[in-house]
Structures are given as C-alpha cells and as structure tokens.
C-alpha cells in the first residue's frame, strides 16, 4: 500500500470518528453565534456597522421577543441587562460568549413567568373578582413602559388576569345565550369553569417556556433577535425550522396526514385528516381524538407530549417514509382516561390545498353568449429546492394551457394571502403573460443590478386579465403584480396595496463555517437579506408595495399589516428602468372607466358598507387602546355588537337568498384541479357555496353551529364578486373598443 493510500485511509477513519462524535454532540452555540455574526457583517445587504449601537438593538429586540406585552420583565431587570450587556453583545458574539447573556436573560424571563403564573394561580383560587368598578386595562402593551419594579408589575399582572377571566366569562355567557335563543344544546356543558380554563392556559405557557426548552431553543430565541435587528426578514433558523421551511416550500411532507391543535389541558387534538393520507388509510385515528403520547421509533419509549409545543409534537410524529409511529390516543367521546395505541406507517402527504388550482365561471349575458371567465388561485410560489420535482410555474403553465383550450374570455389571477416564495418561479411565471422582456431587477449590496427576463418568446395567455391582491400578498406576489402593472398588462384589484416586502433572502448553512472538529448537524442556518428587487420601471416594492388600480374597502386597512409596521424595515427607493422595458398603452386598460364602474357598485353594496363601518370602529378601538374591566360596560358592548350582527344577518339572509336565485340563473361554476389536468378529465360542475372536503376532512367546533351568519351566495365573498365584475367590465370595454378600431393589436401583445 502506498504512503498516499495509507494517509487517505487514516484520514477517512479519523473523519468518520470525528463525524460520529460530532453527531452525538450538541452544537456549540457560542461558536454558532460567532460565525453568524461574521456572516451578518459580510453578507447582509445593508452592511450595518457592527458596534455598540447595534448591540443595544440586539438586546431590545431579544427582550421584546420574549416579553412582547411587557408584563414579565421590570425596568429594574432591563436596567441590569443594559448595564451588563447593552453595549457588549456585538463583541460577546465575536468572542464566543453570547450564550452567557442569552441564558441569563432567558432564565430571568423563566423566573418572572414562574412567579407571575404562581401569582395567577393564587388569584384564581381565591374569591371571585369584583367587576363592578370603572377600571380599564390597555388593549396592547407593546409600546407601554416596562413596570418600574415588582410591585407595579404585580398590579399590571393582576389586571391582565382579571381581564382574561372576564373575557372568558362573557364568552361563555354569550354562547349559552346564543344556544338558548336558537333552541340548541348548550356548547359549554361539561366545560371547565372560566378560572380553571385560565389556569390551564398559563400552565401550558409556563411549560412551553420552561420545561420544553433546551439550549438549542434558547440559542434560537437569541440569535433570531440578533438577526432580525438587521431587517424583519433576516432570521436565524434552527435545524428543525429549516426542515419545516423546506417542507412548506415543496408543498409536501412525510408524516401521517393529520391536522393537529394544542388543547388548553395539554393534549394535542386531531382537527383534520387528509383524505387518502396515511392516517385516513389506516382508519383508526378519528377526528377529535386526543394524542397524549408519541413513540417515534415504534418500539422505543413512549414520549409524554402533554403541554408540549405543537411544533415539537409534529417533529416527533414526522419521520422517514415507510417507517411507523405509535400514538397514545384518548378516543373522542370515550371515557375520561381511556386510551388506545394507534400505529401508522408514515408516508408522503401532498398539501393539495396549497397547490395552484383553477375554476371556470360561465356568466350569462343579456342576449349574448356566456362569458367564460378563468380564475387561478395561487396560495404560494412553491418549489422543491432539493429535487426540483415540484414547481408552481409548471403547475400554472399546465392550468393556463387548459384554460386556453377551454377558450376563456378573461382571467383573474388570485394571489390574495400569497406570501411569496421562489424568485425564479415568479420570474418564469410572469413570462406567461408578457413577451420576452425584464420581469424584475435585483440589486446587491455593491449596487450591481441584474435584470431577470421572462423566458417565453410569446405569452401563453394574451387576453384581458385582473390580478387580485391584498395586504398579505408579499414578496414574489409583488414581483408578479408589479411587473404586470408596469407593463399595463393587467388591472390590479383589491386592498390599497400589497405587503411591501422587496428584499431577497438566502439561507446559509452555519455548520459549514464551524471548525473542523465541531458538531455541525444542528448548528442551524442564517436566512440573510442579500439583495433588493425592483420592478421593470425601477421602483422598489419595498415598504410601499404595489398599489391597486381599483381599491376595495378592506378590514386590513384598520390593522397594522405590512412592511411599514415592522421593526427595522429597509427603505423604499428607485433605480433606473430596465433596458428593453416596453410598456403596452395604458389607455388600453381603460382604468378611469373601470374605477368609475367599480366605485358605483361598491357604493351600492351593503357588504362593502359593513366593511367600511367595521374599519371605522376598529380604528377607534385601536386608537383608544383600552378595555373595560366593568362587566356591565362589557356586556353592553357585546350586546350592541350582537344586535348589529343579528340585524346584518337578517338583512343578509333575505338578500343572499335572492342573490343566490339570481346567481343560479346567471352563473355556472366548473372546477379544474391539477389532478384533473393530469388525467385529461373534463372540467366538472360544482357548487362553490358548499364546503369542499376533497383534500381534508375537518372536525367541527362545537360552537360552530351557533354561528348563523349566512354563507356568501355562490361562495363568492364581496371581493371575489367584485374582482369578477371588474374583469367582465374589462372584457366588455376591450371588445367594444376593438370593434370601434380603438385597439389595433391583441391585448397581450407587448411590442
């Protein structure tokens, strides 16, 4: 054997031994913190000075993350932390000493929570509270000063406990009253008393921050706060979180196919079962069963999961494909304490409700042929980064080809609640609607700009188009909406604007940066902002988002949703328009006329009037920022809200019945899933007003039957209905303009 081969053999054995030892060890999170700090300095877009000022921000963010409501720490605690670490955290990170302050602060937090929960239990075990005085408590304490000392903290805490009990008491009384009014069974029968429910709530919270936390969890809390001090989307992701992130991006996981919910008494309830998933095929697990123990290895030790965080329960249940997991289950409706063991073979579970889907809505016209309106819903820009087998752009491409075959007259692309995803997928997808040209511009920290073009030489779809957005449409969604708006290719309809996230993040494996002999497996990842993206016109979507062409009333206008409300948000700016960016004539979208027609419908809409009324009330409540602790006052408020809801429901009941009748003669609805396309099946008629459980069977909450709010006619909420009408107007006006010779080329021709 040669010397070289001997050396290689020795190195291979040594590497295997080191790897085996490292895998058995926990990561050194002091070293992880050091390497993350280096990555932040070298990789983050903003290149912030790593100094004492930033160190103070690390501390402030860590304290806020732990105690958002400012009811556990006192000003004395905060002063001690600032004196010990306030201007030193940046250097402690680089000197492998960051876990000392992280653990000191966290353990202080644990002690404060333990003391508060003990105080709560004492209060809840004592005499009933007096709710006759005219006292108030702050609705939100996120901007309140820290309690100056323990004495003041106890006063604030006691108010919080009293408000929790009052709220639960009133909720219970309201349910009893609603059941009696409707002649239905009391849903609170057999339920715990309000004080007992609050006790359990705090027991679960205490368990989640004390008994269910290890060094990896503390490091996760602290390093996440450090990362997010740079901007809201830079984050530290633990090994477990990265695995969940990848599963979410590829719309697939390996597990049992069940939806879980944490119960206040510590158990985990089955609230949904995926149709034809592993649990459904095994058939022993039922809706509303309660899991109390998990044996991940099927033959190992049964882990007690009472009061365990739901994400950790999920991690125990998931595993490798074709392996089994044993669950200790309390059957729904069984005797108290009765349990059974259910063994399920794990398998791949497709998250079909998170896939792209489509429908065709046929709308009759007076004296004319029906309009065929296509509707694509895209919940996220998903993609399998590891294997590349799942891509939303491929799914949407197949849907568009089928919609073209069905000869649709117009298209609504619904990206409401679409939080984004893969940048490459949205670049490719935008090209389905425009000729080859710039889709998005990406700028790095050096100021270098890269233009990303559409792939297609010619659009897949060239007809009239509406993009439906809301405040939750973010990131990749904003690239799509912004590009189509810049090209004057589509009409943007919905909330006043999208979310406003105009930055690009890249996950970096911190384990690769650790010393050779270090444990790497659970070091985690830094998801760091490395670029900003810009529309073809040069405007960033950062902070401002994409403004709607046709704005509809929305409850989102009353709450703090959007990048502008996040801490450390990066600024909005502009760069030069991309080269070869050629817009369609804006006049061909007929925006003034579309806005005029929509405004008239919205003004005549009872449902949009209700939304506007609710927005006004919500803004007033937020501005006042207080909740009464007087039971008479609270009951009056609830009675007024209940009376308003009843009046609305009575009005809606008659109007919706009439609307449903009109819809049945005007609309026909056809479903088109990816599975249908794959099979080459015909589109099939369906009733959108009936809840679809084709993907998952869900448990009904016992209070659900008390909600007598009528369903939207034809399953169309006001925004969907108005989006459809804007598209119909666009088709009509475009067709008339073409007949009159006002439009010389097809709507989708970008040249």
């Amino acid at each position: 054997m040669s010397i070289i081969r001997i050396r290689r053999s020795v190195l291979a054995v040594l590497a295997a031994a080191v790897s085996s030892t490292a895998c058995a060890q926990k990561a050194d999170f002091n070293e992880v913190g050091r390497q993350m700090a280096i990555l932040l300095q070298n990789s983050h877009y903003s290149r912030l000075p790593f100094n004492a000022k930033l160190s103070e921000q690390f501390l402030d963010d860590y304290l806020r993350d732990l105690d958002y409501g400012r009811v556990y720490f006192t000003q004395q605690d905060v002063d001690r932390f600032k004196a010990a670490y306030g201007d030193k955290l940046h250097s402690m990170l680089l000197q492998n000493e960051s876990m000392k302050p992280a653990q000191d602060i966290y353990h202080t937090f644990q002690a404060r929570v333990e003391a508060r929960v003990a105080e709560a239990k004492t209060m809840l075990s004592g005499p009933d509270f007096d709710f006759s005085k005219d006292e108030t408590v702050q609705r939100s304490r996120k901007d309140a000063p820290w309690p100056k000392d323990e004495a003041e903290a106890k006063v604030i805490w006691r108010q919080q406990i009293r408000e929790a009990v009052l709220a639960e008491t009133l909720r219970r009384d309201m349910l009893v009253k609603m059941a009696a009014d409707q002649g239905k069974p009391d849903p609170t029968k057999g339920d715990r008393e309000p004080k007992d429910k609050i006790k359990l709530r705090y027991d679960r919270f205490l368990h989640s921050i004390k008994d269910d936390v290890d060094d990896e969890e503390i490091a996760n809390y602290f390093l996440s706060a450090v990362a997010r001090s740079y901007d809201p989307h830079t984050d530290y992701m633990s090994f477990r979180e990265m695995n969940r992130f990848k599963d979410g991006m590829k719309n697939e996981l390996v597990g049992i196919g069940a939806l879980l919910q944490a119960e206040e008494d510590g158990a985990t309830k089955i609230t949904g079962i995926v149709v034809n998933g592993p649990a459904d095929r095994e058939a022993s697990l039922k809706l509303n069963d309660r899991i109390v123990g998990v044996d991940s290895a099927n033959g190992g030790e049964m882990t007690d999961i009472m009061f365990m965080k739901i994400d950790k329960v999920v991690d125990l249940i998931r595993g490798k494909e074709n392996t089994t997991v044993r669950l200790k289950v309390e059957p729904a409706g069984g005797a108290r304490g009765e349990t059974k063991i259910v063994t399920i073979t794990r398998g791949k579970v497709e998250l079909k409700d998170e896939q792209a889907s489509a429908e065709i809505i046929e709308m009759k016209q007076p004296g004319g042929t029906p309009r065929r309106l296509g509707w694509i819903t895209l919940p996220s820009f998903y993609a399998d980064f590891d294997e590349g087998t799942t891509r939303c752009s491929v799914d949407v491409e197949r849907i568009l080809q089928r919609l073209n075959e069905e000869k649709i007259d117009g298209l609504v692309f619904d990206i409401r609640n679409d939080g984004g995803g893969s940048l490459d997928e949205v670049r490719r997808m935008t090209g389905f609607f425009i000729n080859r040209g710039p889709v998005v511009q990406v700028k790095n920290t050096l100021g270098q700009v890269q233009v990303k073009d559409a792939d297609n030489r010619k659009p897949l779809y060239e007809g009239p188009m509406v993009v439906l957005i809301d405040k939750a449409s973010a990131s990749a969604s904003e690239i799509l909406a912004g590009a189509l708006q810049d090209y004057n290719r589509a009409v943007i309809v919905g909330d006043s604007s999208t979310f406003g996230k105009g930055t690009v993040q890249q996950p970096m494996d911190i384990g690769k940066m650790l010393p050779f002999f270090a444990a790497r497996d659970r070091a985690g990842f830094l998801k760091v902002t490395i670029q900003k993206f810009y529309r073809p016109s040069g405007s960033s979507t950062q902070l401002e988002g994409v403004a709607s062409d046709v704005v509809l009333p929305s409850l989102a206008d009353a709450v703090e949703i959007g990048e502008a409300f996040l801490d450390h948000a990066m600024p909005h700016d502009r760069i030069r328009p991309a080269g070869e960016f050629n817009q369609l004539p804006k006049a061909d979208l007929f925006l003034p006329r579309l806005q005029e027609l929509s405004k008239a419908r919205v003004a005549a809409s009872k449902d949009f009037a209700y939304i506007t009324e609710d927005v006004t009330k919500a803004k007033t409540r937020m501005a006042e920022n207080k909740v009464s602790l007087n039971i008479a006052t609270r009951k009056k408020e609830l009675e007024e809200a209940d009376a308003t809801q009843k009046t609305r429901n009575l009005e809606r009941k008659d109007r919706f019945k009439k609307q449903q009748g009109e819809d049945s003669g005007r609309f026909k609805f056809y479903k088109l899933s990816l599975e249908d396309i794959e099979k080459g099946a015909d589109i099939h008629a369906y009733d959108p007003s009936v809840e679809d459980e084709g993907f998952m069977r869900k448990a009904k909450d016992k209070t659900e039957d008390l909600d007598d709010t009528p369903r939207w006619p034809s399953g169309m909420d006001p925004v969907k209905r108005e989006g459809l009408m804007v598209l119909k107007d666009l088709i009509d006006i475009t067709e008339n303009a073409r007949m009159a010779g006002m439009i010389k080329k097809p709507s989708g021709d970008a040249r």
Side-chain angles (χ1 to χ4, degrees), residues 646-661:
K646 284 181 177 178
T647 301
R648 288 183 181 180
N649 285 350
L650 283 172
E651 184 276 326
R652 279 174 166 159
K653 187 176 180 181
D654 292 337
R655 177 164 54 87
F656 283 10
K657 185 177 181 180
K658 181 181 178 183
Q659 182 74 67
Q660 187 67 57

Side-chain angles (χ1 to χ4, degrees), residues 43 48 70 89 148 161 591 627:
S43 305
L48 298 178
R70 299 197 171 199
L89 287 178
K148 65 181 180 181
I161 299 301
L591 292 180
V627 179

Side-chain angles (χ1 to χ4, degrees), residues 396-565:
V396 170
E397 183 177 14
R398 292 161 64 203
I399 289 172
L400 274 175
Q401 288 170 342
R402 181 60 183 272
L403 290 177
N404 281 333
E405 291 172 9
E406 297 291 339
K407 294 181 170 42
I408 59 170
D409 298 304
L411 174 70
V412 174
F413 203 101
D414 188 351
I415 50 173
R416 290 178 294 171
N417 296 305
D418 184 329
S422 169
L423 184 63
D424 195 53
E425 289 301 289
V426 69
R427 176 197 60 79
R428 184 172 184 271
M429 195 181 298
T430 306
F432 298 160
F433 308 106
I434 62 172
N435 280 331
R436 180 173 291 176
V439 170
V440 62
Q441 304 184 79
V442 182
K443 185 174 76 171
N444 65 19
T445 187
L446 300 177
Q448 298 166 327
V449 177
Q450 180 184 13
V451 179
K452 295 182 179 290
D453 290 344
D455 285 338
N456 290 6
R457 299 177 68 89
K458 184 180 179 182
L460 284 178
Y461 174 74
E462 302 184 76
M465 184 174 179
V466 162
V467 176
L468 204 58
I469 59 99
D470 63 10
K471 284 286 187 180
S473 304
S475 193
S477 296
E478 297 174 283
I479 293 176
L480 177 77
L484 295 181
Q485 187 178 60
D486 280 355
Y487 278 100
N488 297 318
R489 174 64 187 87
V491 179
I492 312 301
V493 178
D495 290 359
S496 56
S497 72
T498 54
F499 188 88
K501 178 185 180 293
T503 55
V504 182
Q505 287 71 44
Q506 176 179 320
M508 297 182 176
D509 186 350
I510 298 175
K512 291 182 179 179
M513 310 298 295
L514 299 182
F516 180 71
F517 291 98
R520 304 165 182 270
D521 286 0
R522 304 190 71 84
F525 293 75
L526 174 66
K527 181 167 67 74
V528 60
T529 297
I530 58 168
Q531 298 167 324
K532 289 180 76 173
F533 58 73
Y534 299 80
R535 293 160 60 154
S537 62
S539 177
S540 171
T541 59
Q542 176 62 20
L543 217 61
E544 295 183 359
V546 178
S548 287
D549 298 311
V550 177
V551 180
L552 306 179
S554 169
L555 281 172
D557 292 332
V559 292
E560 297 180 348
I561 296 177
E563 187 85 1
F565 297 103

Side-chain angles (χ1 to χ4, degrees), residues 43 62 71 116 201 319 374 460 502 570 647 688 693 706 727 751:
S43 305
Y62 187 36
V71 293
R116 300 287 182 272
R201 194 175 300 168
L460 284 178
M570 295 171 69
T647 301
E693 290 195 340
L706 296 180
L727 177 63
R751 288 289 184 271

Side-chain angles (χ1 to χ4, degrees), residues 38-102:
I38 293 170
L39 284 172
L40 279 169
Q41 293 177 81
N42 293 334
S43 305
H44 193 274
Y45 181 91
S46 297
R47 292 291 197 270
L48 298 178
F50 205 74
N51 54 21
K53 182 178 180 182
L54 192 58
S55 178
E56 292 171 0
Q57 193 61 65
F58 296 161
L59 177 60
D60 288 345
D61 286 1
Y62 187 36
L63 296 179
R64 184 177 61 252
D65 286 353
L66 293 176
D67 187 7
Y68 186 77
R70 299 197 171 199
V71 293
Y72 297 108
F73 290 129
T74 65
Q75 187 63 54
Q76 292 173 341
D77 291 329
V78 174
D79 290 343
R80 179 175 77 80
F81 299 148
K82 286 185 175 180
Y85 314 119
D87 58 353
K88 303 179 184 67
L89 287 178
H90 68 296
S91 58
M92 296 182 83
L93 278 159
L94 294 173
Q95 294 165 9
N96 280 14
E97 297 177 351
S98 59
M99 288 305 100
K100 177 186 174 183

Side-chain angles (χ1 to χ4, degrees), residues 292-310:
V292 295
V294 178
D295 171 14
S296 296
N298 186 27
E301 184 178 346
M302 184 70 70
T303 302
D304 182 354
I305 64 165
M306 294 297 286
F307 291 105
M308 186 178 286
K309 290 180 182 177
I310 197 71

